[in-house]
Amino acid sequence: MKNFHFAAATAALLLAACHDGPFSEPAPAVPFVPATTTIAEIRHLTGGASTTVTGDLVVSGIVTTSDCRYNFYHTLCVESDGAALEVMAAVDRLHVDYPVGCRVAVLLKGLTVGYYRGVLQVGTKPDVGSFYPTGYLASPAAVAAHLVRADETLSPVQPTRRMIGHLTPDWCGTLVRIDGLSFVPEADSENRWAGVHRFCDNAGNAVYSYVRTGADFADAAIPSERCSLVGILQYEERSGGRYLIKLRDENDCIH
């Protein structure tokens, strides 16, 4: 936060969300515009509650995920300076228009932001009674009105190396790499990627992989060798809390 006046002005642009109706169709696509604030600042100001943005706030960052292998289905993650958000967009082939490594601006006005598994998500107001903090942008026009790609070459995307014992919820949504892991099956584990699986480092600290059953590598076998896991960091508040790594594809297990 740069100063009190900036924080106060930014906070004034946010209004607590009410689950009182569907999201209206956004305006047509707009040109790329510079950021007016940071993803980290939005995380700080929103806390844990779902919030609808009423002011002209814009953040920017690099796309770190792809929906090509369907573990990220109708979403993409955007990261900048160690903070990240996930855009909820119910359109297919996001990786074609917004490939990994491209810079995008996210125009937040009219969108709802909220947290799921520690990840700051951006979308529409959720339906009444929904378990999720946001809904989905439901058309290419809606996505294009709020997610604008810069006209520039793709940037290399490298995960940040982290250690399990040093993980913090502030890093949820960012692309991480954790080395020196071994797959440690639990009683109900199957030797395939689908679901949640435990991996431990030499000290016995655990982190968990997460792969959707709909991912096209969900039925692939989990390697038995020591490995590194790469993916988007999440935090799940169960059994005292645990960190998950959501893989983008099977190549995110390096062995």
Side-chain angles (χ1 to χ4, degrees):
M1 185 180 301
K2 294 182 179 179
N3 54 54
F4 173 80
H5 298 291
F6 173 78
T10 306
L13 296 172
L14 299 172
L15 178 65
C18 297
H19 301 170
D20 56 1
F23 184 77
S24 59
E25 185 69 7
V30 297
F32 191 82
V33 294
T36 62
T37 186
T38 65
I39 297 173
E41 188 72 16
I42 296 298
R43 285 189 65 95
H44 174 76
L45 289 171
T46 56
S50 290
T51 303
T52 295
V53 179
T54 60
D56 294 317
L57 296 182
V58 180
V59 296
S60 68
I62 302 297
V63 174
T64 58
T65 63
S66 168
D67 62 351
C68 186
R69 304 300 299 279
Y70 299 106
N71 202 31
F72 286 85
Y73 181 65
H74 288 167
T75 77
L76 60 81
C77 290
V78 178
E79 182 172 340
S80 178
D81 297 325
L85 56 76
E86 184 174 21
V87 180
M88 314 305 289
V91 298
D92 295 327
R93 297 172 60 80
L94 286 168
H95 64 278
V96 174
D97 292 326
Y98 308 100
V100 171
C102 76
R103 176 168 291 279
V104 296
V106 185
L107 285 67
L108 296 174
K109 186 174 183 178
L111 297 182
T112 296
V113 297
Y115 291 85
Y116 181 71
R117 288 183 174 172
V119 179
L120 177 64
Q121 294 184 335
V122 177
T124 65
K125 290 181 180 179
D127 294 333
V128 175
S130 172
F131 171 79
Y132 296 100
T134 66
Y136 286 88
L137 295 163
S139 70
V143 174
H146 291 281
L147 187 64
V148 185
R149 177 179 172 181
D151 185 16
E152 59 184 27
T153 58
L154 302 183
S155 301
V157 172
Q158 296 294 334
T160 302
R161 279 185 162 86
R162 304 291 191 189
M163 298 176 64
I164 298 174
H166 296 164
L167 295 176
T168 169
D170 287 342
W171 294 333
C172 286
T174 65
L175 186 66
V176 302
R177 171 173 172 162
I178 300 180
D179 299 320
L181 297 174
S182 298
F183 174 42
V184 182
E186 297 180 288
D188 57 349
S189 289
E190 297 181 24
N191 188 28
R192 64 188 190 106
W193 280 115
V196 175
H197 297 286
R198 180 175 60 185
F199 288 76
C200 293
D201 62 16
N202 285 336
N205 298 310
V207 69
Y208 294 78
S209 65
Y210 171 62
V211 174
R212 297 175 59 249
T213 56
D216 65 5
F217 62 101
D219 290 329
I222 300 174
S224 58
E225 303 92 342
R226 285 177 64 78
C227 64
S228 300
L229 289 183
V230 176
I232 298 300
L233 186 67
Q234 302 179 336
Y235 182 76
E236 188 175 56
E237 293 183 357
R238 54 169 290 182
S239 302
R242 62 181 184 179
Y243 286 98
L244 300 93
I245 297 180
K246 186 175 181 179
L247 280 64
R248 298 167 299 176
D249 56 49
E250 67 269 34
N251 295 318
D252 276 343
C253 178
I254 303 167
H255 54 91

